Amino acid sequence: MASAAGILSAEPDFNSRRVTRTFVFRSRSRHRFRIPGWKKEGGMNSTPPGLRLLRPPTVIGQFHTLFFGSVRMFFLGVLGFAVYGNEALHFSCDPDRRELNLYCYNQFRPITPQVFWALQLVTVLVPGAVFHLYAACKNIDQEEILERPLYTVFYIISVLLRIILEVIAFWLQSHLFGFQVHPLFMCEASALEKTFNVTKCMVPEHFEKTIFLSAMYTFTVITILLCIAEIFEILCRRLGYLNNQ
């Protein structure tokens, strides 16, 4: 788009009293912008192999990471908050006193289930995240993980660590929360006041919590089974590579 240069010359004509204006135009030079990584003949540059490693090398691992992991996180984030969000507010004891309710609730829940399951998910993801970070730094492709024995062993170790962490989480969950939520909780409150020996506390929505607790146990068991199946898939595909050679 052209723009006026602002050079104006005026010559007065005394006979006609008209002013002759002469404008000088100067075209603006065009600037070309080049997108980084763009080639005329080939389009965008290909991504390095390490950055393409966003998914596990096995079909079962991809299913576990993309689908089942997302469902598990959605189940915990949305339904977990709906079931356990206001548990402390509706937890009441006899007599209904604030300090007694808080004391007995801390005894009933040493750790809240949402925090425990969030820590479980983060801890289970650590071995896989460390391996993928190592693969990204070394520019390891997905096929190389199954072709080279060293990378295959490292990946199997990360899956085994995931299984061990899930088993530990299952054991801790059974000791902290049990397998069923009862409607009444007997609280030992003698340390708070001598008049309180053993008091009864009402647990709100105990049936919904039992269903949710069973679902989280089921998710843990399914994750362990998927990890075991992934190891078998790795071994079968590894044997296939050896037979082809």
Side-chain angles (χ1 to χ4, degrees):
M1 180 178 180
S3 61
I7 300 177
L8 176 64
S9 62
E11 297 179 357
D13 188 357
F14 296 100
N15 296 327
S16 59
R17 294 184 179 180
R18 291 183 303 176
V19 178
T20 304
R21 298 178 179 179
T22 304
F23 291 92
V24 179
F25 295 91
R26 183 173 56 190
S27 62
R28 182 180 298 175
S29 61
R30 296 182 179 178
H31 299 278
R32 296 181 180 179
F33 298 92
R34 179 174 297 178
I35 301 175
W38 179 267
K39 292 182 179 180
K40 291 182 179 180
E41 62 277 0
M44 295 298 294
N45 289 335
S46 59
T47 309
L51 298 179
R52 289 200 304 266
L53 189 60
L54 301 177
R55 296 180 301 175
T58 59
V59 177
I60 298 177
Q62 294 175 11
F63 171 78
H64 173 260
T65 303
L66 299 178
F67 178 75
F68 188 75
S70 302
V71 171
R72 190 175 182 180
M73 293 179 64
F74 174 81
F75 192 86
L76 176 60
V78 178
L79 298 181
F81 180 78
V83 175
Y84 291 95
N86 298 323
E87 184 183 33
L89 297 177
H90 297 89
F91 187 87
S92 60
C93 300
D94 185 22
D96 190 6
R97 295 173 55 180
R98 178 176 176 79
E99 61 274 11
L100 180 62
N101 293 338
L102 291 176
Y103 181 84
C104 291
Y105 182 76
N106 291 331
Q107 189 178 133
F108 176 66
R109 296 289 191 201
I111 181 174
T112 57
Q114 303 99 309
V115 174
F116 176 81
W117 289 321
L119 291 175
Q120 178 185 356
L121 288 178
V122 172
T123 306
V124 169
L125 291 176
V126 168
V130 172
F131 176 81
H132 284 282
L133 181 62
Y134 171 79
C137 294
K138 296 294 184 178
N139 288 332
I140 303 173
D141 202 353
Q142 293 183 1
E143 296 298 330
E144 294 179 358
I145 297 176
L146 301 178
E147 291 176 356
R148 298 188 179 183
L150 182 61
Y151 299 154
T152 305
V153 171
F154 284 167
Y155 187 78
I156 291 177
I157 290 175
S158 67
V159 178
L160 290 175
L161 289 176
R162 196 188 312 165
I163 295 175
I164 294 173
L165 292 174
E166 289 284 3
V167 172
I168 294 175
F170 187 94
W171 180 79
L172 288 175
Q173 181 177 342
S174 63
H175 280 70
L176 289 174
F177 310 126
F179 294 92
Q180 183 180 1
V181 180
H182 299 282
L184 292 177
F185 173 71
M186 306 305 294
C187 176
E188 177 65 32
S190 59
L192 186 62
E193 287 187 15
K194 293 183 178 180
T195 56
F196 300 145
N197 188 8
V198 177
T199 181
K200 295 181 180 180
C201 299
M202 299 291 295
V203 180
E205 301 173 350
H206 62 93
F207 184 70
E208 294 181 3
K209 291 180 175 62
T210 301
I211 296 176
F212 194 89
L213 193 63
S214 302
M216 296 306 295
Y217 279 118
T218 304
F219 286 157
T220 303
V221 173
I222 292 176
T223 301
I224 295 174
L225 294 177
L226 287 176
C227 292
I228 296 174
E230 186 177 4
I231 293 177
F232 278 104
E233 182 184 356
I234 293 172
L235 295 177
C236 292
R237 294 181 64 178
R238 178 62 186 169
L239 292 176
Y241 282 118
L242 294 178
N243 293 331
N244 292 331
Q245 292 178 357

